Amino acid sequence: MKKIEAIVKPFKLDDVKEALNEIGIKGMTISEVKGYGRQKGHKEVYRGAEYVVDFIPKAKLEIIVDAAQVDQVVAKIKESAYTGKIGDGKIFVLPIEEVIRVRTGEHGKDAI
Amino acid sequence: MNTGDTAFMLIASALVMLMTPGLALFYGGLVRSKNVLGTIMHSFICLGIVSIIWVVYGYSLAFGPDIGGLTGNLDWMWLKGVGTNVGPYSDTIPDLLFCAFQLMFAILTPALITGGFAERMKFSAFLIFTVLWSSLIYMPICHWVWGGGWLGSLGALDFAGGTVIHINCGFAALAAAIIIGKRKGWGRGESFHPNNLPMTVLGAGILWFGWFGFNAGSALAADGTAALAFFTTQVATGAAALSWIIAEWLLRGKPTTLGAASGAVAGLVAITPAAGFVGPISAVIIGLVAGVLCYLAVLAKSRLGYDDALDVVGIHGIGGIWGALATGLFASIAVNPGGANGLFFGNPHQFVIQATGVGATMAYSFIGSLIILKIIDVAVGLRVTTEEEVQGLDITQHSEIGYSL
């Protein structure tokens, strides 16, 4: 099992969610996060006083999938989050040791 | 007594009252979220403090029987003799109503100053400052212009308080910003971005609305002069909001919402002394200049190095000076026979009188405020500790927070 963490542009979140629904991904966790990479921040100006804001808003998705599905999910996220402009985000793939469903106590793949 | 005038002035007084909570929102949105309540409180509590001063001795000092053109005496302490009959300042409205209308101005002025020392003053020191400043700076200058004092006798035109209120609060705020010092981290890259600009724009809208009471009400009657003041207020303000955003668009690349709100306030300030003395076209010109001039004044602040946190100097000080001088340029007896002609209408002397009023108000307000602030600083300390400043005024001065999300 793998965890896929994707940081994407907030306005692309709906596209990504729909794309993943199409391939049968049944659940995900999302959070509003802030950060920066190569894109750096943006400039805000208040009465002529300029502030550089380093951390800009992003959406983070966390999806747990069977290892066999990883490539397909990553490809879908890549495709649906793509704008071609700097700041499109990143995708991380991490190993998951165990998944437990609280209600039934199921373990492993069945609990995803 | 005239019931029409009385009804109008009751409403105008209520409109001016609303400006102070409007200002509280305008300022409250501009500070960091940890100081939103402390900043709102600075304005709001003036409604309490100054009301009491006004009843006890304030009205008497400002409008009571004259002493040497400089101040009123204390004959009207506790509002002795100020009742529901017509009084010395108007033949058509109750004396007490004139007193109430003027009270609203006296409340607003110290509230305006609070933008200069926002985010760092001790609440106790602020209370002392407001009492002393109202008593020793506002009441005398108000008397000079409107209470039978020397500036009014000289022929200075100040329809609704450009000198008394705006130049006065602007230079008091400059003194305060200098004496209390910069906010921690100001000018060294730390971010001071506003916590709630929608609230600031709402506050500006309330100020604009209330300002119709302020300017049109200064006619003290429901008459043609009130209509003129109402109209010039609207067009000058709209022009200034527009010229401010155009100026920033050209200089910094983007027109901002805060710029539109700030420009509106700059326009309101500038038209205040002129409102009932100039025609509509002159008002548009006064507003257009005010928006650009005040924007440039705000930009100059960081070069000059004083932390006038919410730009009271740039908007009220400079806007007030421009308005007072512009009155000396654009005033015309063709639109108001009770006024005078300005420089552009063949009377350069009026401009000299206006400049005298500007200079005297600036000097008295700035120097007087410096002295008052220095005394309070030595006696009880003006500023919160660095630790309190970092935590914010809301929690350290009032044990509250503005937003719990």
Side-chain angles (χ1 to χ4, degrees):
Chain A
M1 288 171 295
K2 300 282 185 187
K3 173 172 166 179
I4 299 167
E5 267 188 28
I7 312 264
V8 302
K9 289 187 167 169
F11 86 99
K12 277 290 186 182
L13 183 59
D14 279 343
D15 294 349
V16 174
K17 193 188 80 186
E18 275 169 33
L20 292 177
N21 275 338
E22 280 169 22
I23 57 165
I25 296 297
K26 294 193 190 73
M28 65 182 70
T29 305
I30 73 131
S31 28
E32 293 174 16
V33 295
K34 287 182 173 181
Y36 68 94
R38 285 194 211 162
Q39 187 186 3
K40 292 287 189 295
H42 63 261
K43 193 176 73 178
E44 293 180 14
V45 183
Y46 300 103
R47 282 186 182 156
E50 292 184 4
Y51 304 116
V52 175
V53 179
D54 288 329
F55 298 105
I56 56 179
K58 296 283 171 186
K60 183 169 88 169
L61 299 90
E62 292 166 86
I63 307 150
I64 314 298
V65 295
D66 186 42
Q69 238 189 328
V70 168
D71 289 346
Q72 192 194 8
V73 169
V74 168
K76 270 290 179 189
I77 297 175
K78 259 171 70 182
E79 184 191 309
S80 56
Y82 182 82
T83 69
K85 297 200 188 94
I86 195 164
D88 269 356
K90 284 204 173 56
I91 302 170
F92 309 104
V93 181
L94 300 82
I96 290 286
E97 283 188 17
E98 183 61 291
V99 178
I100 299 122
R101 174 170 283 132
V102 172
R103 179 171 55 85
T104 59
E106 287 163 289
H107 280 250
K109 266 196 261 182
D110 296 335
I112 293 177
Chain B
M1 185 93 71
N2 177 310
T3 53
D5 288 352
T6 303
F8 169 64
M9 289 307 296
L10 285 166
I11 292 167
S13 303
L15 282 173
V16 182
M17 178 274 160
L18 189 63
M19 291 171 70
T20 298
L23 181 73
L25 297 181
F26 182 74
Y27 280 173
L30 287 174
V31 295
R32 291 164 292 174
S33 54
K34 62 185 178 183
N35 296 319
V36 59
L37 292 178
T39 303
I40 286 175
M41 186 70 149
H42 280 168
S43 295
F44 198 83
I45 205 63
C46 288
L47 287 159
I49 304 166
V50 182
S51 294
I52 302 301
I53 295 174
W54 200 245
V55 169
V56 180
Y57 60 82
Y59 182 61
S60 188
L61 279 183
F63 290 96
D66 178 70
I67 303 177
L70 295 176
T71 177
N73 69 18
L74 291 173
D75 284 0
W76 298 356
M77 260 182 89
W78 304 102
L79 299 187
K80 200 172 77 180
V82 181
T84 52
N85 294 321
V86 296
Y89 290 97
S90 165
D91 296 333
T92 63
I93 66 169
D95 203 8
L96 201 56
L97 178 52
F98 176 78
C99 176
F101 182 64
Q102 284 295 336
L103 165 60
M104 303 312 173
F105 288 60
I107 291 167
L108 180 68
T109 312
L112 287 166
I113 303 170
T114 65
F117 51 71
E119 301 198 290
R120 58 208 191 277
M121 197 189 250
K122 276 189 342 202
F123 188 67
S124 54
F126 155 75
L127 291 177
I128 299 169
F129 171 73
T130 300
V131 171
L132 293 179
W133 191 88
S134 293
S135 308
L136 301 173
I137 311 290
Y138 183 81
M139 307 309 176
I141 293 183
C142 180
H143 183 82
W144 295 357
V145 178
W146 293 325
W150 69 275
L151 260 178
S153 312
L154 200 63
L157 296 179
D158 186 357
F159 191 74
T163 46
V164 179
I165 286 137
H166 298 292
I167 296 176
N168 194 1
C169 77
F171 284 84
L174 178 61
I178 291 170
I179 294 269
I180 199 167
K182 299 168 191 174
R183 287 167 294 174
K184 186 179 174 297
W186 188 80
R188 277 182 275 134
E190 200 168 304
S191 173
F192 290 90
H193 64 260
N195 81 83
N196 192 340
L197 282 183
M199 189 161 90
T200 293
V201 176
L202 175 64
I206 293 174
L207 281 170
W208 192 334
F209 179 69
W211 225 291
F212 290 120
F214 195 91
N215 284 1
S218 290
L220 297 180
D223 61 8
T225 306
L228 176 69
F230 190 107
F231 193 84
T232 55
T233 300
Q234 174 61 26
V235 295
T237 306
L242 201 58
S243 70
W244 181 302
I245 64 162
I246 290 171
E248 63 182 2
W249 206 341
L250 293 174
L251 286 174
R252 293 289 163 106
K254 289 269 167 57
T256 67
T257 316
L258 176 55
S262 309
V265 176
L268 290 164
V269 168
I271 198 60
T272 293
F277 299 125
V278 302
I281 306 299
S282 301
V284 169
I285 298 168
I286 290 171
L288 288 174
V289 173
V292 176
L293 193 65
C294 293
Y295 174 60
L296 296 177
V298 165
L299 285 188
K301 175 182 69 168
S302 52
R303 296 220 186 114
L304 296 174
Y306 59 90
D307 181 13
D308 167 23
L310 309 181
D311 296 309
V312 190
V313 182
I315 295 177
H316 296 273
I318 302 302
I321 291 173
W322 162 242
L325 296 179
T327 309
L329 298 174
F330 293 100
S332 161
I333 53 173
V335 294
N336 181 354
N341 276 329
L343 180 71
F344 293 160
F345 294 88
N347 179 16
H349 183 59
Q350 189 60 39
F351 187 79
V352 176
I353 297 174
Q354 296 299 112
T356 308
V358 168
T361 308
M362 278 170 61
Y364 184 74
S365 175
F366 182 71
I367 295 166
S369 303
L370 274 183
I371 294 169
I372 291 173
L373 287 155
K374 198 71 206 170
I375 290 171
I376 300 171
D377 198 20
V378 171
V380 298
L382 283 173
R383 192 169 177 142
V384 294
T385 64
T386 307
E387 190 185 346
E388 288 171 325
E389 190 177 337
V390 170
Q391 274 191 284
L393 298 183
D394 293 5
I395 200 77
T396 61
Q397 305 297 298
H398 308 292
S399 287
E400 293 171 298
I401 51 170
Y403 307 100
S404 45
L405 295 175

